[in-house]
Amino acid sequence: MGNGEMDGSHLVERHEELRSEWEREEEQLKKCVEIIQHNVEAQSAELAKVRAETKEMYDNYRSDNPELHNDLVIGLSMQTDLERSLTKNLAALKKPFFGRIDYRELGMETRDGEEEEEKKQFSLYVGKNGVSKSSTEIIIVDWRAPVASVYYDSDVGESSYLSPYGDQIHIALDLKRTFEIKDSSLVDYYDTDVIANDEFLTKYLGKNKEVVLGEIIATIQKEQNDIIRDTPWHSVIVQGVAGSGKTTVAMHRISYILYNYKERCRSDEFYIIGSNKMLLNYITGVLPNLDVYNINQMTLEEFLVYLLDMDFQLKKKKYILISPFAKSRKRAGENSRVRTLLKRYKGSLDFIRALEYYLDWYEMTIIRSEDIIYHGKNIYSENEIREFLSIFKEKPLSEKQELLNKRLLSKIRLVNEREQQEKEVISIEVKKYKDYFGKKVAKYDLEKIYLDFLKSLLDTGFYKEFSGVLPEKEVVSLLMEDFTGKKIDIYDLAMLTYLKRRLKFTKDFEYVSHIIVDEAQDFGVSVFYCMKQLFANCTYTIMGDITQNIHYDTGMNDWEALRGKVFSEEKDKFYVLAKSYRNTVEISNYASRVLKHCTFKTYDIEPIIRHGSEVEVYEAKSETEILHKAAQILKCSKEAGYTTQAVICRTEEETKEVYDKLKELIELESLKENMEEMNFTNGIMVLPIHMTKGLEFDSVLLWNPDSSSYEKSDADAKLLYVAITRALHELHIVYMGELAELLS
Ligand SMILES: Nc1ncnc2c1ncn2[C@@H]1O[C@H](COP(=O)(O)OP(=O)(O)OP(=O)(O)O)[C@@H](O)[C@H]1O
């Protein structure tokens, strides 16, 4: 027999093998579909029954019947649960699973390296939702289940996973397979040892994107999985380059935590904080798809106003909220030196620490801490009072006062009882000292105390024991001028919230257990310090990229202070994501070139190898030409099938101008007067850079980045980096005059 014949028979054998493997997978898929179909039918019947019952209760509802009211509430909640479960099952019907892992459990590893005892063999299918045939027979494992981490973490070979009971289970992974399933039919499957990860990923990444963040459960990468599955008992800080999946990972992490820590974590105690409404709507759009409901989502400003429980009449314009981008200026660098120093001060830890120092003093002016001599005896010594205050340091002033008053009264009662005084006498004595440490104040004048604090910053003598740095006089004057002129920003709001927390007990602060901050680098470290003081038992998932800090003076340009001074380097975790999934290699390289001009530390970008067209830079000679060229580019991109397109401008003012002119030439999505109220939609959107943060578009046209709009500074490099990295497939640049040096 010649070699050729041998190869031929092997090929036939291999082909047969593949065919029967394919048939086995089709069989498995069919079986799963049948079970899900059965579950769907059972749930539909149950839902119809519950709906009928709640309807009947609703029809007979009478407000004076509390029992009926309770039943109705329970019925409605059951109905919602069933509806959600049915929706999940209907989706699972079309695509029951995406992965399969075959593994053998190995015995416990002995310390002296004795041989491992082989255990059972498993073949598990992993899906977006778990599917069971009965209460004991699981057909598809939920992607969030502990064992499913093997699918994300390991390649074929030995590995392990953490059981729900905290044991490390050692396994030998024999097969890791990913499926493509469409409308309940098997389209294809790939085994990890056959197809390279990047090659597989590019199949997903080449597609056009929706106007809601997508779920990535079939392609979560190992380094992302580590973050998603980290425990909620400590905080997690993630530095990730643009497009590395920070936001996506954060949303999947919420889903993972709520699924695995049901008993301890409630979705309504989770808060997602983002920089604007459009971003929040975009990122949280994925949550129902990830089986997450009832999460709070707010901008930082909204969150603080909610905690303050007073709106400073922002709507009535009693106070004006200063937004760094609302002004109609072209360049960030036009601010005066003092204004820049003020911004830096507000974002720094020195600011909030000075307030902390001031409030420690303020507290002592209210709480009398001197020996209390009663009937000739020192019944409450200064030392005792001070010790008490240091033990209950975290408690608000009003609570400290209450506790001290109570303690003093019991001492007075005791002295009188020992002296065998009449009841009436005791009661008179107790009344005399009732408010010795101060009366319970229902409402504090936060604005006045804050202003007094601002004034105090001029008094260097007062701060002689303060370990931080005080601002220059001019900076303090500007700070006070803004506040008395009723101009406030998120930093004032944060300080006022902290002030409120120090003075008064409030329930709102109790019900915050996990905070997820996206685009965290845009907020100064003082805000995080403040939040840490506000919520005693809260942990955080903080996602950001210092290279994308668009509030250069207030935001964070490194992670040092946050990691070392606000969070604990030992207890909390810091991760770095370096791979970029969003941009083509050409766009990523272009973005990296901008960063080469910078003096700040940058994190290297590793693009997933996906090629596209070169970045097009077009110089126009006149305004008419630039507008016509832009319209032509946008038209071509649309014809190429790109559904989301953005024209990115420098400022809000420029955005309005460009929008007005361009709309005469091509159909645009309408621009609202208040850009914060806009929604991310398909079509062509004209937006200022800061409003595109966190978003992504199939095609981006960067509007006129000339040398007068962007100077060669770190701040402007960050802005351009953000704009460039919004593009998934195509980036075009049109300009007039001299191109910004950062791009040349
Ligand atoms: N593992 C993955 N598989 C497939 N796609 C992924 C993966 N991780 C991220 N992506 C995709 O990459 C894109 C960028 O993700 P995302 O917006 O979460 O990144 P980001 O780090 O928050 O970006 P930015 O800092 O620019 O806001 C999204 O389209 C997301 O679906």
Side-chain angles (χ1 to χ4, degrees):
M1 213 192 294
N3 264 346
E5 276 171 77
M6 271 221 356
D7 286 346
S9 73
H10 262 100
L11 270 177
V12 173
E13 236 174 68
R14 180 77 189 123
H15 184 75
E16 268 310 301
E17 238 175 65
L18 289 174
R19 203 165 61 91
S20 45
E21 185 64 8
W22 181 277
E23 279 167 4
R24 267 199 297 277
E25 293 298 11
E26 275 195 321
E27 196 49 42
Q28 173 68 18
L29 177 60
K30 200 168 144 225
K31 184 177 141 200
C32 289
V33 169
E34 277 168 13
I35 292 167
I36 300 170
Q37 183 66 48
H38 175 265
N39 290 351
V40 164
E41 280 159 22
Q43 272 178 352
S44 303
E46 176 71 9
L47 179 60
K49 196 171 136 233
V50 171
R51 271 194 186 135
E53 282 167 7
T54 44
K55 184 173 179 315
E56 197 187 323
M57 281 191 267
Y58 193 76
D59 291 344
N60 295 319
Y61 181 77
R62 279 200 326 268
S63 55
D64 60 350
N65 185 343
E67 240 170 65
L68 193 61
H69 176 86
N70 281 348
D71 289 349
L72 185 58
V73 171
I74 294 168
L76 285 170
S77 141
M78 268 171 73
Q79 189 176 315
T80 311
D81 287 348
L82 273 167
E83 277 163 357
R84 283 176 186 163
S85 178
L86 188 60
T87 313
K88 282 195 291 190
N89 272 308
L90 285 170
L93 206 53
K94 289 192 176 162
K95 194 176 176 181
F97 50 79
F98 59 82
R100 169 180 159 186
I101 41 175
D102 288 5
Y103 65 90
R104 284 163 289 134
E105 250 184 21
L106 300 171
M108 297 291 282
E109 231 172 70
T110 55
R111 273 173 201 273
D112 48 10
E114 264 179 36
E115 259 190 29
E116 292 167 341
E117 171 204 340
E118 291 242 335
K119 279 202 188 161
K120 275 196 274 174
Q121 218 163 331
F122 296 88
S123 178
L124 300 183
Y125 285 80
V126 186
K128 194 161 147 185
N129 293 291
V131 175
S132 307
K133 193 173 176 186
S134 64
S135 58
T136 51
E137 199 179 341
I138 296 172
I139 307 294
I140 298 166
V141 176
D142 190 290
W143 71 277
R144 297 161 294 185
V147 68
S149 77
V150 172
Y151 174 81
Y152 301 110
D153 274 347
S154 324
D155 282 330
V156 168
E158 280 193 19
S159 105
S160 66
Y161 73 93
L162 206 60
S163 82
Y165 309 104
D167 303 323
Q168 200 71 34
I169 314 272
H170 294 273
I171 59 153
L173 183 64
D174 298 322
L175 176 85
K176 177 171 154 181
R177 181 166 285 173
T178 304
F179 297 90
E180 249 188 64
I181 294 170
K182 200 167 175 231
D183 292 334
S184 321
S185 303
L186 184 59
V187 177
D188 211 345
Y189 66 75
Y190 323 89
D191 291 348
T192 359
D193 52 344
V194 179
I195 181 162
N197 184 40
D198 277 19
E199 197 183 324
F200 172 63
L201 259 178
T202 42
K203 277 173 79 79
Y204 283 80
L205 300 174
K207 294 179 185 160
N208 289 356
K209 285 290 159 71
E210 301 292 323
V211 290
V212 284
L213 190 71
E215 48 97 336
I216 55 161
I217 49 173
T219 55
I220 292 170
Q221 301 295 291
K222 181 177 173 1
E223 58 276 22
Q224 296 177 323
N225 191 43
D226 290 345
I227 301 168
I228 293 171
R229 288 174 189 253
D230 203 342
T231 79
W233 311 135
H234 55 227
S235 295
V236 160
I237 302 171
V238 180
Q239 153 63 42
V241 297
S244 55
K246 295 180 293 296
T247 313
T248 316
V249 165
M251 298 305 115
H252 286 67
R253 176 164 162 73
I254 298 174
S255 173
Y256 174 83
I257 293 176
L258 292 175
Y259 178 86
N260 284 287
Y261 299 88
K262 281 187 200 82
E263 276 77 38
R264 311 270 292 274
C265 299
R266 286 177 39 177
S267 62
D268 58 358
E269 292 180 6
F270 277 42
Y271 285 76
I272 301 177
I273 308 293
S275 44
N276 66 60
K277 280 267 162 212
M278 184 152 76
L279 176 69
L280 277 169
N281 289 340
Y282 166 69
I283 65 180
T284 54
V286 70
L287 290 178
N289 208 12
L290 289 173
D291 199 19
V292 176
Y293 303 91
N294 302 333
I295 291 261
N296 303 285
Q297 55 172 84
M298 296 181 190
T299 60
L300 182 61
E301 163 208 327
E302 283 173 334
F303 185 50
L304 295 169
V305 167
Y306 155 76
L307 292 171
L308 271 168
D309 198 20
M310 56 194 282
D311 61 5
F312 286 92
Q313 305 199 15
L314 292 171
K315 288 217 171 85
K316 288 188 195 152
K317 304 240 182 301
K318 183 186 165 210
Y319 273 91
I320 296 163
L321 193 77
I322 311 170
S323 148
F325 282 92
K327 287 203 185 131
S328 57
R329 63 189 159 76
K330 271 222 149 181
R331 302 167 67 120
E334 278 168 14
N335 287 322
S336 69
R337 185 189 73 87
V338 180
R339 174 69 60 196
T340 305
L341 288 178
L342 172 57
K343 283 188 191 169
R344 289 189 187 155
Y345 181 63
K346 279 191 152 179
S348 75
L349 285 180
D350 287 327
F351 189 31
I352 178 132
R353 287 210 172 134
L355 178 60
E356 215 174 12
Y357 181 91
Y358 179 83
L359 288 175
D360 286 347
W361 166 83
Y362 177 79
E363 207 169 77
M364 295 315 289
T365 63
I366 304 231
I367 294 176
R368 293 158 66 179
S369 64
E370 56 203 29
D371 292 345
I372 302 175
I373 313 292
Y374 184 74
H375 290 193
K377 274 196 212 124
N378 186 350
I379 57 163
Y380 211 170
S381 73
E382 181 183 343
N383 276 350
E384 237 184 306
I385 297 169
R386 284 187 183 269
E387 199 181 302
F388 171 92
L389 289 175
S390 71
I391 294 172
F392 293 100
K393 197 172 181 313
E394 307 305 326
K395 294 216 180 282
L397 173 62
S398 60
E399 242 183 285
K400 286 178 190 157
Q401 287 175 302
E402 210 177 316
L403 287 170
L404 280 167
N405 280 336
K406 266 194 192 153
R407 210 167 139 76
L408 176 63
L409 294 189
S410 72
K411 283 173 185 271
I412 287 182
R413 197 168 277 125
L414 199 70
V415 172
N416 281 288
E417 278 166 4
R418 281 200 187 131
E419 288 172 4
Q420 296 184 337
Q421 299 285 3
E422 297 285 317
K423 264 190 181 166
E424 291 73 30
V425 176
I426 300 181
S427 130
I428 292 168
E429 284 300 287
V430 163
K431 251 194 194 148
K432 261 199 242 166
Y433 284 86
K434 193 164 78 52
D435 295 321
Y436 179 88
F437 290 102
K439 252 192 180 159
K440 202 172 173 188
V441 182
K443 229 176 165 162
Y444 284 95
D445 187 346
L446 295 184
E447 286 148 277
K448 179 177 178 315
I449 302 174
Y450 185 54
L451 196 61
D452 287 345
F453 155 66
L454 297 182
K455 273 186 214 150
S456 80
L457 291 170
L458 293 167
D459 184 352
T460 44
F462 176 78
Y463 283 96
K464 64 178 184 296
E465 282 172 33
F466 176 53
S467 57
V469 179
L470 287 179
E472 289 177 18
K473 268 192 187 138
E474 291 80 2
V475 173
V476 181
S477 305
L478 192 56
L479 189 52
M480 290 198 311
E481 193 185 305
D482 280 351
F483 192 69
T484 46
K486 306 291 176 197
K487 284 190 221 149
I488 51 171
D489 61 14
I490 52 159
Y491 297 94
D492 298 306
L493 287 175
M495 298 303 132
L496 286 157
T497 313
Y498 172 68
L499 226 164
K500 177 179 170 187
R501 169 75 178 78
R502 284 285 305 257
L503 299 178
K504 219 175 119 190
F505 173 76
T506 145
K507 281 252 180 258
D508 299 336
F509 295 104
E510 296 231 306
Y511 300 119
V512 180
S513 67
H514 195 80
I515 298 182
I516 300 99
V517 188
D518 198 22
E519 305 288 347
Q521 74 287 340
D522 289 345
F523 306 121
V525 68
S526 57
V527 164
F528 295 96
Y529 187 86
C530 172
M531 284 205 251
K532 283 279 284 181
Q533 311 303 312
L534 298 180
F535 315 109
N537 300 316
C538 178
T539 54
Y540 297 77
T541 296
I542 293 178
M543 298 292 187
D545 177 12
I546 50 158
T547 317
Q548 295 184 62
N549 171 19
I550 56 167
H551 301 318
Y552 191 76
D553 294 315
T554 45
M556 290 184 285
N557 292 306
D558 63 54
W559 294 106
E560 310 316 321
L562 188 75
R563 289 179 61 197
K565 295 187 176 149
V566 179
F567 288 93
S568 149
E569 297 214 39
E570 288 82 47
K571 194 169 147 248
D572 302 309
K573 284 267 192 69
F574 181 69
Y575 293 91
V576 175
L577 292 176
K579 269 196 193 153
S580 160
Y581 301 90
R582 177 183 297 135
N583 321 113
T584 60
V585 175
E586 289 72 16
I587 297 168
S588 263
N589 290 346
Y590 196 79
S592 298
R593 264 172 47 195
V594 173
L595 297 185
K596 293 235 159 62
H597 291 279
C598 304
T599 58
F600 56 83
K601 176 185 172 186
T602 56
Y603 287 86
D604 290 337
I605 313 171
E606 290 171 29
I608 293 287
I609 305 302
R610 179 171 74 87
H611 284 280
S613 49
E614 283 298 331
V615 175
E616 185 201 16
V617 184
Y618 185 85
E619 183 190 354
K621 298 283 179 239
S622 65
E623 196 185 270
T624 320
E625 192 188 348
I626 196 172
L627 284 165
H628 278 90
K629 180 66 187 173
Q632 184 207 343
I633 291 171
L634 293 167
K635 191 165 165 267
C636 286
S637 295
K638 196 174 173 191
E639 282 166 6
Y642 294 135
T643 43
T644 52
Q645 291 176 264
V647 178
I648 303 185
C649 304
R650 172 74 165 84
T651 60
E652 291 191 357
E653 185 193 41
E654 185 176 61
T655 303
K656 284 177 190 146
E657 272 171 34
V658 172
Y659 172 80
D660 285 339
K661 291 177 183 158
L662 213 51
K663 76 171 193 286
E664 303 299 324
L665 304 174
I666 189 158
E667 191 188 339
L668 303 173
E669 293 311 310
S670 46
L671 185 72
K672 287 207 176 151
E673 184 56 34
N674 179 359
M675 293 182 196
E676 286 280 325
E677 286 170 7
M678 291 186 22
N679 274 324
F680 185 20
T681 59
N682 283 338
I684 306 169
M685 298 189 80
V686 185
L687 293 166
I689 295 182
H690 71 276
M691 288 296 294
T692 65
K693 293 240 47 197
L695 306 180
E696 55 189 19
F697 305 85
D698 293 328
S699 165
V700 164
L701 188 144
L702 181 55
W703 182 266
N704 200 22
D706 64 0
S707 56
S708 71
S709 306
Y710 299 89
E711 58 190 16
K712 193 173 173 232
S713 68
D714 287 351
D716 282 3
K718 292 192 175 197
L719 278 175
L720 281 173
Y721 176 76
V722 170
I724 292 167
T725 53
R726 296 310 94 201
L728 284 151
H729 311 300
E730 267 187 14
L731 174 67
H732 303 271
I733 295 173
V734 287
Y735 73 101
M736 282 189 298
E738 196 187 356
L739 187 65
E741 206 183 325
L742 288 167
L743 296 178
S744 56

